[in-house]
Amino acid sequence: MTEFVHLHLHTEYSLLDGAIHIDELVEQAAGLGMKALAVTDHGNMFGAVVFHDAARAKGIKPIAGCEIYVAPGSRFDKAGSGIEEAYNHMTLLASDEAGYHNLVKLVSSGYTEGFYHRPRIDKDLLAKHSQGLIGLSGCLSGEIATHLRNGQEAAALASVGVFSEIFGPERFYLEVMDHGIEDQRRVNQGLFRLHDRTGLPLVATNDAHYLKQDDHQAHDVLVCIGSGKKVHDADRLRFDTNEFYVKSGAEMASVFPDHPAALANTVRIAEMCEFSLKQAGSLPAFDVPPGFTIESYFEKVSRDGFAERCKVLEPLAAAGRLGHSIAEYAERLDKEIGVIRRVGFAGYFLIVWDFIRHAREKGIPVGPGRGSAAGSLVAYSLRITDIDPIEHGLIFERFLNEERISPPDIDIDFCEARRGEVIEYVTKRYGRD
């Protein structure tokens, strides 16, 4: 069996372009016996954590990557160029922790500093944050491939020199791919010549955008949605063949029968990549009054807060203006307190309750709450939210579910002008880390 590692692959996080669900991806990769796998979504790393955890669960080494957009000049230059001239593509892979953090920095800067049609970086920024990164020259829209398509081999050689200097000759690869497109085959011939002239290694990729070959038509519809076109429109973006899927090692060997080293280099690169995301650290300690545990104090303040809410709820119930009885509220509160204590998030609620309480005491406006946290009566009792979840038929299990335990996600809005005061309070009380 030919060993091969996919190093250029787009998931559903390449919005309206990639059509690969991560759970199905790792399932298929495991079935194909793949030991490692990279995800390189367009301009973002939104799926990095989900992919990392899903791959690890299947015994597959996850490789964090991104197909970035590189401005031809400065990332700050946003005048005059059409979308075709505004950027080139390039594939980046993180080989270690420094590389991962540099990749995050580059992607973030693409949005905050270089966004023009797409989130772009430039070569100056890339050079500053190249430690721990492996660079691949990219697809047909890469800078080197574009020069070769235009018959400018001297310009392609110059670009090779620049990128080789940025990454180092051992960490920059000439990326070859073949989906049965004539332009690719012509560019590959140029890349083979550049390989012969420079000694830089080749690496084979398949630019996967969908999982299986039969998914080609569904992906074509997705591309039409993303570009605002119809399937039958003649002048639209399209993938010319049905070869952009997650191929097996044997299939890739049949694509590049004369270049086994380009296939072997995928494994070599995977071996160079040794990075694992660390589990989130534990919560800072919440100091409870003498005689209480975290759990018992959480329950006390929750019930005290509910008693305060009842000063408004009980008159409404007596007047027949409340859709549910106070007993129903009390039963829901008991259930939520029990769940929160059992899953170990009492301290989390106390910390959020504490800094929101501080904001209110200082007269800093706090939003009424949004998202799934609005479904919690405990959050309502603690004034973390100001929306009655029972009256509005909101479901607690959408927020916190014992069958799928993950840290609760509470969206909080503070006054923009004074939110820095809240951050300062949290920093002083719980530590800068």
Side-chain angles (χ1 to χ4, degrees), residues 314-327:
E314 286 173 348
L316 291 174
R321 294 170 55 197
L322 201 62
H324 301 266
S325 68
I326 297 298

Side-chain angles (χ1 to χ4, degrees), residues 386-425:
D386 263 331
I387 300 164
D388 181 342
I390 295 181
E391 189 70 10
H392 290 87
L394 303 178
I395 301 170
F396 174 66
E397 285 75 16
R398 284 195 64 239
F399 170 60
L400 190 59
N401 192 325
E402 281 187 277
E403 295 180 4
R404 193 181 68 252
I405 298 174
S406 59
D409 180 15
I410 300 178
D411 298 310
I412 306 164
D413 298 301
F414 292 107
C415 166
E416 184 177 5
R418 299 186 63 192
R419 70 178 58 159
E421 296 175 44
V422 182
I423 295 170
E424 183 180 7
Y425 171 78

Side-chain angles (χ1 to χ4, degrees), residues 7 11 25 29-30 76 110 115 154 157 171 173 182 238 279 312 322 332 353 373 408:
L7 299 176
T11 73
L25 168 67
F76 299 108
F115 197 97
L157 184 62
R171 300 177 73 84
Y173 289 75
E182 185 55 38
R238 66 178 74 238
Q279 291 292 325
V312 174
L322 201 62
R332 168 79 166 260
W353 164 73

Side-chain angles (χ1 to χ4, degrees), residues 348-409:
Y348 176 95
F349 276 85
L350 285 173
I351 291 169
V352 177
W353 164 73
D354 175 53
F355 66 71
I356 288 180
R357 180 186 59 172
H358 171 80
R360 294 188 194 281
E361 289 173 353
K362 294 296 183 181
I364 300 171
V366 183
R370 55 187 169 87
S372 60
S376 169
L377 185 62
V378 164
Y380 180 63
S381 299
L382 294 174
R383 292 200 71 195
I384 292 171
T385 62
D386 263 331
I387 300 164
D388 181 342
I390 295 181
E391 189 70 10
H392 290 87
L394 303 178
I395 301 170
F396 174 66
E397 285 75 16
R398 284 195 64 239
F399 170 60
L400 190 59
N401 192 325
E402 281 187 277
E403 295 180 4
R404 193 181 68 252
I405 298 174
S406 59
D409 180 15

Side-chain angles (χ1 to χ4, degrees), residues 45 99-113 121 125 129:
M45 297 175 67
Y100 180 81
H101 288 294
N102 276 326
L103 192 54
V104 169
K105 172 66 177 176
L106 290 169
V107 168
S108 299
S109 296
Y111 282 94
T112 60
E113 297 177 353
I121 64 167
L125 193 68
H129 299 284

Side-chain angles (χ1 to χ4, degrees), residues 20-134:
I20 298 175
H21 297 302
I22 286 175
D23 54 347
E24 296 174 352
L25 168 67
V26 296
E27 191 74 38
Q28 177 161 318
L32 291 172
M34 293 183 174
K35 298 173 183 176
L37 190 65
V39 160
T40 58
D41 283 309
H42 278 302
N44 77 72
M45 297 175 67
F46 303 150
V49 175
V50 176
F51 166 63
H52 174 277
D53 293 347
R56 290 285 180 196
K58 287 290 184 181
I60 296 170
K61 178 195 283 189
I63 302 170
C66 181
E67 184 171 9
I68 58 166
Y69 301 98
V70 184
S74 168
R75 66 189 182 277
F76 299 108
D77 182 5
K78 303 171 186 180
S81 297
I83 191 168
E84 294 295 325
E85 295 80 34
Y87 54 81
N88 296 297
H89 295 208
M90 186 172 203
T91 316
L92 295 182
L93 305 170
S95 65
D96 55 24
E97 186 171 2
Y100 180 81
H101 288 294
N102 276 326
L103 192 54
V104 169
K105 172 66 177 176
L106 290 169
V107 168
S108 299
S109 296
Y111 282 94
T112 60
E113 297 177 353
F115 197 97
Y116 182 61
H117 298 293
R118 297 287 187 272
R120 309 173 311 158
I121 64 167
D122 58 26
K123 290 169 189 168
D124 287 343
L125 193 68
L126 183 59
K128 290 176 184 175
H129 299 284
S130 63
Q131 182 184 351
L133 292 177
I134 296 169

